[in-house]
Amino acid sequence: ETANGALPAKAVATMTAITRNAEEGLEGDLTYQNVWNNTPKPVSPLEAVASGSVKACLDMGAMAMVVYTDVMLPATLVSKYKPPVPIVVVTTNPSVAAHCNVVSGLVPMLLDTVTTSRETMPLVINTIRKLGIADLVAGDDEADQVIVVERPGGANPMVCDTNEDSAVFKTHIIGDEAANLMKPTGYSGDHTISFCSTRIGLDNVVTPSDMVRKTKIFCTMGPKC
């Protein structure tokens, strides 16, 4: 959408209100599934972690996401799956911080140096609070979980877009966990033995398979068997 005229501030404010209202109507799970279904497979290890972190954010009701990186790819991969919360990008690279301003959902946090995520997280949490993303305090009946994507190992948390550096995601719980605040929705599965999660066609049935079967088969035989 574009706009021009003599009142740029009002035009931008109007666009901001429209986009904010539009985002309120997005269904996070459906949006995620649509992106995932239309992503060519197999994905890279880095994208697998990025998509998994967004799915965890949706399933756990996290209030924010954090990505430690000095290159754009990890942050843009997380943004690609459209999490319903802002993504704070912790970086020491001014170019990455600048580019974050034009990518959906990314909020740059430029630091001079980053030691470990454990030492940096208090500063990140404080920034999340100052920006009004989340209060992250116990006892307010709101979830206080933050999903963090970082390089494994603990010494240097900055993720790079190379196979050697890879990435992991973890959860920081600052106050209350969503699972302890909200009653689970949907069918609990108390009376269900199994759920169908496969697509079976005639070709699957009639084509011989050399795969070693790992699934146990239990048959309940009725009078006509």
Side-chain angles (χ1 to χ4, degrees), residues 100-172:
C100 285
N101 289 314
V102 294
V103 179
S104 174
L106 300 187
V107 179
M109 181 177 175
L110 182 62
L111 299 177
D112 293 331
T113 58
V114 173
T115 51
T116 66
S117 61
R118 181 183 294 274
E119 294 177 1
T120 310
M121 276 308 295
L123 183 61
V124 176
I125 296 303
N126 189 44
T127 299
I128 291 174
R129 290 170 175 153
K130 284 185 175 180
L131 292 175
I133 296 173
D135 294 331
L136 300 180
V137 293
D140 60 353
D141 292 329
E142 290 187 356
D144 302 307
Q145 298 160 125
V146 177
I147 304 294
V148 180
V149 179
E150 63 179 27
R151 183 179 178 180
N156 176 16
M158 309 307 283
V159 181
C160 295
D161 58 342
T162 61
N163 292 331
E164 291 80 8
D165 289 324
S166 188
V168 296
F169 73 85
K170 58 186 182 182
T171 306
H172 278 268

Short mmCIF file of all heavy atoms in Angstrom, two decimals, residues 100-172:
data_model
loop_
_atom_site.label_atom_id
_atom_site.label_comp_id
_atom_site.label_asym_id
_atom_site.label_seq_id
_atom_site.Cartn_x
_atom_site.Cartn_y
_atom_site.Cartn_z
N CYS A 100 16.72 -4.83 9.82
CA CYS A 100 15.59 -5.34 10.60
C CYS A 100 14.40 -4.38 10.56
O CYS A 100 13.25 -4.81 10.73
CB CYS A 100 16.00 -5.57 12.05
SG CYS A 100 17.02 -7.04 12.30
N ASN A 101 14.66 -3.11 10.33
CA ASN A 101 13.59 -2.12 10.32
C ASN A 101 12.64 -2.27 9.14
O ASN A 101 11.58 -1.65 9.13
CB ASN A 101 14.19 -0.71 10.33
CG ASN A 101 14.84 -0.37 11.66
OD1 ASN A 101 14.27 -0.61 12.71
ND2 ASN A 101 16.04 0.19 11.61
N VAL A 102 13.03 -3.06 8.13
CA VAL A 102 12.16 -3.20 6.95
C VAL A 102 11.67 -4.63 6.78
O VAL A 102 11.15 -4.99 5.73
CB VAL A 102 12.89 -2.74 5.67
CG1 VAL A 102 13.16 -1.25 5.73
CG2 VAL A 102 14.18 -3.52 5.44
N VAL A 103 11.83 -5.47 7.81
CA VAL A 103 11.36 -6.86 7.76
C VAL A 103 10.26 -7.04 8.79
O VAL A 103 10.39 -6.61 9.93
CB VAL A 103 12.50 -7.86 8.01
CG1 VAL A 103 11.98 -9.29 7.97
CG2 VAL A 103 13.62 -7.68 6.98
N SER A 104 9.18 -7.68 8.37
CA SER A 104 8.00 -7.85 9.22
C SER A 104 8.34 -8.48 10.57
O SER A 104 8.98 -9.54 10.64
CB SER A 104 6.98 -8.74 8.49
OG SER A 104 5.89 -9.04 9.33
N GLY A 105 7.92 -7.82 11.63
CA GLY A 105 8.02 -8.38 12.97
C GLY A 105 9.34 -8.21 13.67
O GLY A 105 9.44 -8.48 14.87
N LEU A 106 10.40 -7.79 12.95
CA LEU A 106 11.72 -7.71 13.56
C LEU A 106 11.92 -6.39 14.29
O LEU A 106 11.61 -5.32 13.77
CB LEU A 106 12.82 -7.87 12.50
CG LEU A 106 12.82 -9.18 11.71
CD1 LEU A 106 14.06 -9.25 10.82
CD2 LEU A 106 12.73 -10.39 12.62
N VAL A 107 12.47 -6.47 15.51
CA VAL A 107 12.78 -5.30 16.32
C VAL A 107 14.27 -5.35 16.65
O VAL A 107 14.71 -6.21 17.41
CB VAL A 107 11.96 -5.27 17.62
CG1 VAL A 107 12.32 -4.04 18.45
CG2 VAL A 107 10.47 -5.30 17.33
N PRO A 108 15.09 -4.48 16.06
CA PRO A 108 16.54 -4.57 16.28
C PRO A 108 16.95 -4.11 17.67
O PRO A 108 16.39 -3.17 18.23
CB PRO A 108 17.11 -3.65 15.20
CG PRO A 108 16.03 -2.64 14.96
CD PRO A 108 14.73 -3.38 15.14
N MET A 109 17.96 -4.78 18.21
CA MET A 109 18.57 -4.39 19.47
C MET A 109 20.08 -4.43 19.25
O MET A 109 20.69 -5.51 19.31
CB MET A 109 18.15 -5.31 20.61
CG MET A 109 18.73 -4.93 21.96
SD MET A 109 18.11 -6.02 23.27
CE MET A 109 19.10 -5.41 24.66
N LEU A 110 20.68 -3.29 18.98
CA LEU A 110 22.10 -3.21 18.64
C LEU A 110 22.93 -3.05 19.90
O LEU A 110 22.72 -2.13 20.70
CB LEU A 110 22.33 -2.03 17.70
CG LEU A 110 23.76 -1.82 17.20
CD1 LEU A 110 24.23 -3.02 16.40
CD2 LEU A 110 23.85 -0.54 16.38
N LEU A 111 23.89 -3.97 20.09
CA LEU A 111 24.80 -3.93 21.23
C LEU A 111 26.24 -3.85 20.74
O LEU A 111 26.56 -4.30 19.63
CB LEU A 111 24.62 -5.19 22.09
CG LEU A 111 23.24 -5.41 22.72
CD1 LEU A 111 23.22 -6.73 23.48
CD2 LEU A 111 22.85 -4.27 23.64
N ASP A 112 27.11 -3.29 21.58
CA ASP A 112 28.53 -3.22 21.23
C ASP A 112 29.16 -4.61 21.25
O ASP A 112 29.92 -4.98 20.34
CB ASP A 112 29.27 -2.29 22.19
CG ASP A 112 28.84 -0.84 22.03
OD1 ASP A 112 28.45 -0.46 20.91
OD2 ASP A 112 28.87 -0.10 23.03
N THR A 113 28.86 -5.36 22.29
CA THR A 113 29.39 -6.72 22.41
C THR A 113 28.33 -7.62 23.03
O THR A 113 27.46 -7.15 23.77
CB THR A 113 30.65 -6.76 23.30
OG1 THR A 113 30.34 -6.24 24.60
CG2 THR A 113 31.79 -5.97 22.68
N VAL A 114 28.43 -8.91 22.74
CA VAL A 114 27.55 -9.91 23.34
C VAL A 114 28.44 -11.03 23.86
O VAL A 114 29.21 -11.63 23.09
CB VAL A 114 26.53 -10.47 22.33
CG1 VAL A 114 25.77 -11.63 22.96
CG2 VAL A 114 25.57 -9.38 21.89
N THR A 115 28.36 -11.32 25.14
CA THR A 115 29.18 -12.38 25.73
C THR A 115 28.43 -13.71 25.66
O THR A 115 28.64 -14.50 24.76
CB THR A 115 29.54 -12.04 27.17
OG1 THR A 115 28.34 -11.68 27.89
CG2 THR A 115 30.49 -10.84 27.22
N THR A 116 27.52 -13.94 26.60
CA THR A 116 26.67 -15.12 26.58
C THR A 116 25.23 -14.68 26.68
O THR A 116 24.92 -13.58 27.13
CB THR A 116 27.00 -16.06 27.76
OG1 THR A 116 26.65 -15.39 28.99
CG2 THR A 116 28.47 -16.43 27.77
N SER A 117 24.33 -15.57 26.24
CA SER A 117 22.91 -15.22 26.31
C SER A 117 22.44 -15.09 27.75
O SER A 117 21.57 -14.28 28.06
CB SER A 117 22.07 -16.27 25.57
OG SER A 117 22.21 -17.54 26.17
N ARG A 118 23.03 -15.87 28.64
CA ARG A 118 22.66 -15.79 30.06
C ARG A 118 22.93 -14.39 30.62
O ARG A 118 22.14 -13.84 31.37
CB ARG A 118 23.40 -16.86 30.86
CG ARG A 118 23.05 -16.87 32.35
CD ARG A 118 23.89 -17.90 33.07
NE ARG A 118 23.57 -19.24 32.63
CZ ARG A 118 22.58 -19.98 33.14
NH1 ARG A 118 21.83 -19.49 34.11
NH2 ARG A 118 22.35 -21.20 32.69
N GLU A 119 24.08 -13.83 30.24
CA GLU A 119 24.43 -12.49 30.74
C GLU A 119 23.67 -11.39 30.02
O GLU A 119 23.44 -10.32 30.59
CB GLU A 119 25.94 -12.27 30.57
CG GLU A 119 26.80 -13.20 31.42
CD GLU A 119 28.28 -13.00 31.17
OE1 GLU A 119 28.63 -12.13 30.34
OE2 GLU A 119 29.09 -13.70 31.80
N THR A 120 23.26 -11.65 28.77
CA THR A 120 22.60 -10.62 27.98
C THR A 120 21.09 -10.60 28.20
O THR A 120 20.46 -9.54 28.05
CB THR A 120 22.89 -10.84 26.48
OG1 THR A 120 24.29 -11.01 26.29
CG2 THR A 120 22.42 -9.66 25.64
N MET A 121 20.50 -11.73 28.57
CA MET A 121 19.04 -11.81 28.66
C MET A 121 18.40 -10.79 29.59
O MET A 121 17.34 -10.25 29.27
CB MET A 121 18.60 -13.22 29.05
CG MET A 121 18.51 -14.20 27.89
SD MET A 121 17.50 -13.61 26.51
CE MET A 121 15.87 -13.54 27.26
N PRO A 122 18.98 -10.45 30.76
CA PRO A 122 18.35 -9.41 31.58
C PRO A 122 18.19 -8.09 30.84
O PRO A 122 17.17 -7.40 30.98
CB PRO A 122 19.31 -9.28 32.78
CG PRO A 122 19.96 -10.62 32.87
CD PRO A 122 20.11 -11.09 31.47
N LEU A 123 19.18 -7.74 30.03
CA LEU A 123 19.10 -6.51 29.24
C LEU A 123 18.03 -6.64 28.16
O LEU A 123 17.28 -5.69 27.90
CB LEU A 123 20.46 -6.21 28.60
CG LEU A 123 20.57 -4.92 27.79
CD1 LEU A 123 20.29 -3.70 28.66
CD2 LEU A 123 21.97 -4.81 27.17
N VAL A 124 17.94 -7.83 27.56
CA VAL A 124 16.92 -8.06 26.53
C VAL A 124 15.52 -8.01 27.14
O VAL A 124 14.60 -7.39 26.58
CB VAL A 124 17.15 -9.43 25.85
CG1 VAL A 124 16.04 -9.73 24.85
CG2 VAL A 124 18.50 -9.46 25.15
N ILE A 125 15.35 -8.63 28.29
CA ILE A 125 14.05 -8.61 28.98
C ILE A 125 13.65 -7.19 29.32
O ILE A 125 12.49 -6.79 29.16
CB ILE A 125 14.12 -9.47 30.26
CG1 ILE A 125 14.38 -10.94 29.91
CG2 ILE A 125 12.82 -9.33 31.05
CD1 ILE A 125 13.36 -11.55 28.98
N ASN A 126 14.60 -6.39 29.78
CA ASN A 126 14.32 -4.99 30.10
C ASN A 126 13.90 -4.22 28.85
O ASN A 126 12.99 -3.37 28.91
CB ASN A 126 15.56 -4.34 30.73
CG ASN A 126 15.27 -2.96 31.29
OD1 ASN A 126 14.25 -2.75 31.95
ND2 ASN A 126 16.15 -2.02 31.03
N THR A 127 14.52 -4.50 27.71
CA THR A 127 14.15 -3.86 26.46
C THR A 127 12.74 -4.24 26.04
O THR A 127 11.95 -3.40 25.59
CB THR A 127 15.15 -4.24 25.35
OG1 THR A 127 16.46 -3.79 25.72
CG2 THR A 127 14.76 -3.61 24.02
N ILE A 128 12.40 -5.51 26.20
CA ILE A 128 11.04 -5.98 25.87
C ILE A 128 10.01 -5.23 26.71
O ILE A 128 8.95 -4.83 26.21
CB ILE A 128 10.93 -7.50 26.09
CG1 ILE A 128 11.78 -8.25 25.04
CG2 ILE A 128 9.48 -7.97 26.04
CD1 ILE A 128 11.85 -9.74 25.26
N ARG A 129 10.32 -5.02 27.96
CA ARG A 129 9.40 -4.28 28.84
C ARG A 129 9.30 -2.81 28.43
O ARG A 129 8.20 -2.25 28.35
CB ARG A 129 9.87 -4.39 30.29
CG ARG A 129 9.71 -5.77 30.90
CD ARG A 129 10.41 -5.86 32.24
NE ARG A 129 10.17 -7.15 32.89
CZ ARG A 129 11.02 -7.70 33.75
NH1 ARG A 129 12.15 -7.08 34.05
NH2 ARG A 129 10.74 -8.88 34.29
N LYS A 130 10.44 -2.20 28.14
CA LYS A 130 10.44 -0.78 27.78
C LYS A 130 9.68 -0.52 26.48
O LYS A 130 9.02 0.52 26.32
CB LYS A 130 11.87 -0.27 27.65
CG LYS A 130 12.57 -0.03 28.98
CD LYS A 130 13.95 0.58 28.77
CE LYS A 130 14.60 0.92 30.09
NZ LYS A 130 15.96 1.53 29.90
N LEU A 131 9.76 -1.46 25.54
CA LEU A 131 9.07 -1.30 24.26
C LEU A 131 7.58 -1.62 24.36
O LEU A 131 6.85 -1.44 23.39
CB LEU A 131 9.72 -2.21 23.21
CG LEU A 131 11.14 -1.83 22.77
CD1 LEU A 131 11.70 -2.88 21.81
CD2 LEU A 131 11.17 -0.45 22.12
N GLY A 132 7.14 -2.08 25.52
CA GLY A 132 5.74 -2.40 25.71
C GLY A 132 5.31 -3.70 25.05
O GLY A 132 4.11 -3.93 24.86
N ILE A 133 6.27 -4.54 24.71
CA ILE A 133 5.93 -5.83 24.09
C ILE A 133 5.26 -6.74 25.10
O ILE A 133 4.27 -7.41 24.79
CB ILE A 133 7.21 -6.49 23.51
CG1 ILE A 133 7.79 -5.62 22.39
CG2 ILE A 133 6.92 -7.89 23.01
CD1 ILE A 133 9.14 -6.10 21.88
N ALA A 134 5.78 -6.80 26.29
CA ALA A 134 5.21 -7.61 27.36
C ALA A 134 5.71 -7.10 28.70
O ALA A 134 6.82 -6.55 28.79
CB ALA A 134 5.57 -9.09 27.19
N ASP A 135 4.91 -7.28 29.76
CA ASP A 135 5.32 -6.85 31.09
C ASP A 135 6.30 -7.83 31.73
O ASP A 135 7.20 -7.43 32.48
CB ASP A 135 4.10 -6.70 31.99
CG ASP A 135 3.19 -5.57 31.54
OD1 ASP A 135 3.72 -4.61 30.94
OD2 ASP A 135 1.97 -5.65 31.77
N LEU A 136 6.08 -9.13 31.44
CA LEU A 136 6.97 -10.17 31.96
C LEU A 136 7.14 -10.08 33.46
O LEU A 136 8.26 -10.05 33.99
CB LEU A 136 8.33 -10.11 31.26
CG LEU A 136 8.31 -10.31 29.73
CD1 LEU A 136 9.72 -10.22 29.17
CD2 LEU A 136 7.65 -11.62 29.34
N VAL A 137 6.02 -10.05 34.16
CA VAL A 137 6.03 -10.07 35.62
C VAL A 137 5.04 -11.12 36.10
O VAL A 137 4.01 -11.35 35.47
CB VAL A 137 5.65 -8.69 36.22
CG1 VAL A 137 6.73 -7.68 35.91
CG2 VAL A 137 4.31 -8.21 35.72
N ALA A 138 5.36 -11.76 37.19
CA ALA A 138 4.50 -12.79 37.74
C ALA A 138 3.26 -12.18 38.39
O ALA A 138 3.31 -11.06 38.90
CB ALA A 138 5.27 -13.62 38.76
N GLY A 139 2.15 -12.92 38.34
CA GLY A 139 0.96 -12.51 39.05
C GLY A 139 0.01 -11.62 38.29
O GLY A 139 -0.98 -11.15 38.86
N ASP A 140 0.26 -11.37 36.99
CA ASP A 140 -0.65 -10.50 36.24
C ASP A 140 -1.57 -11.28 35.30
O ASP A 140 -2.21 -10.71 34.43
CB ASP A 140 0.14 -9.47 35.43
CG ASP A 140 1.09 -10.11 34.42
OD1 ASP A 140 1.22 -11.35 34.44
OD2 ASP A 140 1.69 -9.37 33.62
N ASP A 141 -1.61 -12.61 35.49
CA ASP A 141 -2.47 -13.49 34.68
C ASP A 141 -2.14 -13.43 33.19
O ASP A 141 -2.98 -13.68 32.34
CB ASP A 141 -3.96 -13.14 34.88
CG ASP A 141 -4.44 -13.47 36.28
OD1 ASP A 141 -3.90 -14.43 36.87
OD2 ASP A 141 -5.32 -12.76 36.79
N GLU A 142 -0.90 -13.10 32.87
CA GLU A 142 -0.42 -13.14 31.49
C GLU A 142 0.84 -14.01 31.42
O GLU A 142 1.64 -14.03 32.36
CB GLU A 142 -0.10 -11.73 30.98
CG GLU A 142 -1.32 -10.86 30.75
CD GLU A 142 -0.96 -9.54 30.10
OE1 GLU A 142 0.26 -9.29 29.91
OE2 GLU A 142 -1.88 -8.77 29.78
N ALA A 143 0.99 -14.71 30.29
CA ALA A 143 2.15 -15.57 30.12
C ALA A 143 3.43 -14.73 30.09
O ALA A 143 3.43 -13.60 29.63
CB ALA A 143 2.03 -16.37 28.82
N ASP A 144 4.50 -15.29 30.59
CA ASP A 144 5.77 -14.58 30.66
C ASP A 144 6.89 -15.43 30.05
O ASP A 144 7.99 -15.53 30.58
CB ASP A 144 6.12 -14.23 32.11
CG ASP A 144 5.04 -13.37 32.75
OD1 ASP A 144 4.69 -12.34 32.18
OD2 ASP A 144 4.54 -13.76 33.82
N GLN A 145 6.58 -16.06 28.92
CA GLN A 145 7.55 -16.92 28.25
C GLN A 145 8.16 -16.21 27.04
O GLN A 145 7.46 -15.54 26.30
CB GLN A 145 6.88 -18.22 27.81
CG GLN A 145 6.32 -19.02 28.97
CD GLN A 145 5.26 -20.01 28.52
OE1 GLN A 145 5.38 -21.19 28.78
NE2 GLN A 145 4.25 -19.54 27.83
N VAL A 146 9.44 -16.40 26.84
CA VAL A 146 10.15 -15.82 25.70
C VAL A 146 10.91 -16.94 25.01
O VAL A 146 11.67 -17.67 25.65
CB VAL A 146 11.13 -14.72 26.15
CG1 VAL A 146 11.91 -14.18 24.96
CG2 VAL A 146 10.38 -13.59 26.85
N ILE A 147 10.70 -17.09 23.71
CA ILE A 147 11.41 -18.08 22.92
C ILE A 147 12.70 -17.46 22.40
O ILE A 147 12.68 -16.40 21.77
CB ILE A 147 10.57 -18.58 21.73
CG1 ILE A 147 9.22 -19.15 22.22
CG2 ILE A 147 11.32 -19.63 20.92
CD1 ILE A 147 9.34 -20.39 23.05
N VAL A 148 13.83 -18.12 22.64
CA VAL A 148 15.14 -17.59 22.27
C VAL A 148 15.81 -18.52 21.26
O VAL A 148 15.93 -19.72 21.50
CB VAL A 148 16.05 -17.43 23.50
CG1 VAL A 148 17.41 -16.87 23.09
CG2 VAL A 148 15.40 -16.52 24.53
N VAL A 149 16.22 -17.96 20.12
CA VAL A 149 16.97 -18.70 19.10
C VAL A 149 18.42 -18.25 19.19
O VAL A 149 18.71 -17.05 19.10
CB VAL A 149 16.42 -18.44 17.69
CG1 VAL A 149 17.24 -19.19 16.65
CG2 VAL A 149 14.95 -18.84 17.61
N GLU A 150 19.33 -19.19 19.36
CA GLU A 150 20.74 -18.85 19.52
C GLU A 150 21.61 -19.98 19.02
O GLU A 150 21.15 -21.08 18.72
CB GLU A 150 21.05 -18.54 20.98
CG GLU A 150 20.86 -19.73 21.90
CD GLU A 150 21.18 -19.42 23.34
OE1 GLU A 150 21.07 -18.25 23.75
OE2 GLU A 150 21.57 -20.36 24.07
N ARG A 151 22.89 -19.70 18.95
CA ARG A 151 23.87 -20.71 18.58
C ARG A 151 24.09 -21.66 19.74
O ARG A 151 24.19 -21.22 20.89
CB ARG A 151 25.18 -20.01 18.20
CG ARG A 151 26.30 -20.93 17.72
CD ARG A 151 27.51 -20.10 17.36
NE ARG A 151 28.63 -20.92 16.93
CZ ARG A 151 29.80 -20.44 16.56
NH1 ARG A 151 29.99 -19.13 16.56
NH2 ARG A 151 30.77 -21.24 16.17
N PRO A 152 24.17 -22.97 19.49
CA PRO A 152 24.37 -23.90 20.60
C PRO A 152 25.77 -23.80 21.17
O PRO A 152 26.71 -23.36 20.52
CB PRO A 152 24.13 -25.27 19.94
CG PRO A 152 24.45 -25.06 18.49
CD PRO A 152 24.03 -23.65 18.19
N GLY A 153 25.90 -24.19 22.41
CA GLY A 153 27.21 -24.22 23.04
C GLY A 153 27.34 -23.29 24.23
O GLY A 153 28.06 -23.59 25.18
N GLY A 154 26.66 -22.14 24.20
CA GLY A 154 26.65 -21.25 25.35
C GLY A 154 27.70 -20.17 25.33
O GLY A 154 27.50 -19.10 25.90
N ALA A 155 28.88 -20.40 24.71
CA ALA A 155 29.94 -19.41 24.75
C ALA A 155 29.61 -18.20 23.89
O ALA A 155 29.67 -17.06 24.34
CB ALA A 155 31.25 -20.04 24.31
N ASN A 156 29.26 -18.43 22.63
CA ASN A 156 28.93 -17.35 21.72
C ASN A 156 27.53 -17.61 21.16
O ASN A 156 27.34 -18.54 20.36
CB ASN A 156 29.95 -17.29 20.57
CG ASN A 156 29.59 -16.23 19.55
OD1 ASN A 156 28.76 -15.35 19.79
ND2 ASN A 156 30.22 -16.31 18.38
N PRO A 157 26.54 -16.83 21.56
CA PRO A 157 25.15 -17.13 21.17
C PRO A 157 24.78 -16.67 19.77
O PRO A 157 23.69 -16.97 19.30
CB PRO A 157 24.33 -16.36 22.21
CG PRO A 157 25.18 -15.17 22.52
CD PRO A 157 26.60 -15.66 22.46
N MET A 158 25.67 -15.95 19.06
CA MET A 158 25.31 -15.36 17.78
C MET A 158 25.21 -16.42 16.69
O MET A 158 26.16 -17.14 16.40
CB MET A 158 26.34 -14.30 17.38
CG MET A 158 26.61 -13.28 18.47
SD MET A 158 25.11 -12.48 19.11
CE MET A 158 24.77 -11.32 17.79
N VAL A 159 24.02 -16.54 16.07
CA VAL A 159 23.77 -17.52 15.02
C VAL A 159 24.28 -16.99 13.69
O VAL A 159 24.10 -15.83 13.36
CB VAL A 159 22.27 -17.84 14.90
CG1 VAL A 159 22.03 -18.90 13.83
CG2 VAL A 159 21.73 -18.31 16.24
N CYS A 160 24.94 -17.88 12.91
CA CYS A 160 25.37 -17.53 11.56
C CYS A 160 24.66 -18.45 10.57
O CYS A 160 24.12 -19.49 10.94
CB CYS A 160 26.88 -17.66 11.41
SG CYS A 160 27.80 -16.48 12.42
N ASP A 161 24.65 -18.06 9.30
CA ASP A 161 23.91 -18.83 8.30
C ASP A 161 24.78 -19.88 7.64
O ASP A 161 24.75 -20.09 6.45
CB ASP A 161 23.34 -17.88 7.23
CG ASP A 161 24.43 -17.06 6.54
OD1 ASP A 161 25.52 -16.96 7.10
OD2 ASP A 161 24.16 -16.53 5.46
N THR A 162 25.60 -20.56 8.43
CA THR A 162 26.42 -21.65 7.91
C THR A 162 26.02 -22.95 8.59
O THR A 162 25.49 -22.96 9.70
CB THR A 162 27.92 -21.39 8.16
OG1 THR A 162 28.14 -21.31 9.57
CG2 THR A 162 28.35 -20.08 7.51
N ASN A 163 26.28 -24.06 7.93
CA ASN A 163 25.90 -25.36 8.48
C ASN A 163 26.63 -25.64 9.79
O ASN A 163 26.11 -26.31 10.67
CB ASN A 163 26.20 -26.47 7.47
CG ASN A 163 25.31 -26.38 6.25
OD1 ASN A 163 24.18 -25.91 6.34
ND2 ASN A 163 25.83 -26.82 5.11
N GLU A 164 27.87 -25.15 9.89
CA GLU A 164 28.66 -25.43 11.09
C GLU A 164 28.07 -24.76 12.33
O GLU A 164 28.17 -25.26 13.44
CB GLU A 164 30.10 -24.96 10.90
CG GLU A 164 30.89 -25.78 9.88
CD GLU A 164 30.58 -25.38 8.44
OE1 GLU A 164 29.87 -24.38 8.26
OE2 GLU A 164 31.05 -26.08 7.52
N ASP A 165 27.46 -23.59 12.14
CA ASP A 165 26.99 -22.83 13.30
C ASP A 165 25.62 -23.27 13.77
O ASP A 165 25.30 -23.20 14.94
CB ASP A 165 26.98 -21.34 12.98
CG ASP A 165 28.39 -20.79 12.89
OD1 ASP A 165 29.25 -21.24 13.66
OD2 ASP A 165 28.63 -19.94 12.03
N SER A 166 24.75 -23.68 12.84
CA SER A 166 23.42 -24.18 13.17
C SER A 166 22.73 -23.26 14.18
O SER A 166 23.02 -22.08 14.28
CB SER A 166 23.53 -25.61 13.70
OG SER A 166 22.26 -26.18 13.84
N ALA A 167 21.76 -23.80 14.92
CA ALA A 167 21.03 -23.00 15.91
C ALA A 167 20.18 -23.93 16.76
O ALA A 167 19.89 -25.07 16.39
CB ALA A 167 20.13 -21.97 15.21
N VAL A 168 19.79 -23.43 17.91
CA VAL A 168 18.84 -24.12 18.78
C VAL A 168 17.87 -23.07 19.30
O VAL A 168 18.12 -21.88 19.23
CB VAL A 168 19.54 -24.82 19.97
CG1 VAL A 168 20.45 -25.91 19.51
CG2 VAL A 168 20.31 -23.79 20.82
N PHE A 169 16.72 -23.53 19.81
CA PHE A 169 15.84 -22.59 20.49
C PHE A 169 15.49 -23.13 21.86
O PHE A 169 15.46 -24.34 22.08
CB PHE A 169 14.58 -22.28 19.66
CG PHE A 169 13.57 -23.38 19.60
CD1 PHE A 169 12.61 -23.55 20.59
CD2 PHE A 169 13.56 -24.26 18.53
CE1 PHE A 169 11.67 -24.56 20.52
CE2 PHE A 169 12.61 -25.28 18.45
CZ PHE A 169 11.67 -25.43 19.45
N LYS A 170 15.26 -22.21 22.78
CA LYS A 170 14.91 -22.58 24.15
C LYS A 170 13.92 -21.56 24.69
O LYS A 170 13.67 -20.53 24.07
CB LYS A 170 16.16 -22.65 25.02
CG LYS A 170 16.96 -21.35 25.09
CD LYS A 170 18.26 -21.56 25.84
CE LYS A 170 19.06 -20.27 25.95
NZ LYS A 170 20.34 -20.49 26.66
N THR A 171 13.38 -21.85 25.86
CA THR A 171 12.36 -20.99 26.46
C THR A 171 12.86 -20.38 27.75
O THR A 171 13.41 -21.08 28.60
CB THR A 171 11.07 -21.79 26.73
OG1 THR A 171 10.64 -22.43 25.54
CG2 THR A 171 9.97 -20.87 27.23
N HIS A 172 12.66 -19.07 27.89
CA HIS A 172 12.91 -18.38 29.16
C HIS A 172 11.57 -18.07 29.79
O HIS A 172 10.71 -17.45 29.17
CB HIS A 172 13.68 -17.07 28.93
CG HIS A 172 15.15 -17.26 28.79
ND1 HIS A 172 16.03 -17.18 29.85
CD2 HIS A 172 15.90 -17.55 27.71
CE1 HIS A 172 17.26 -17.40 29.43
NE2 HIS A 172 17.21 -17.62 28.13
#
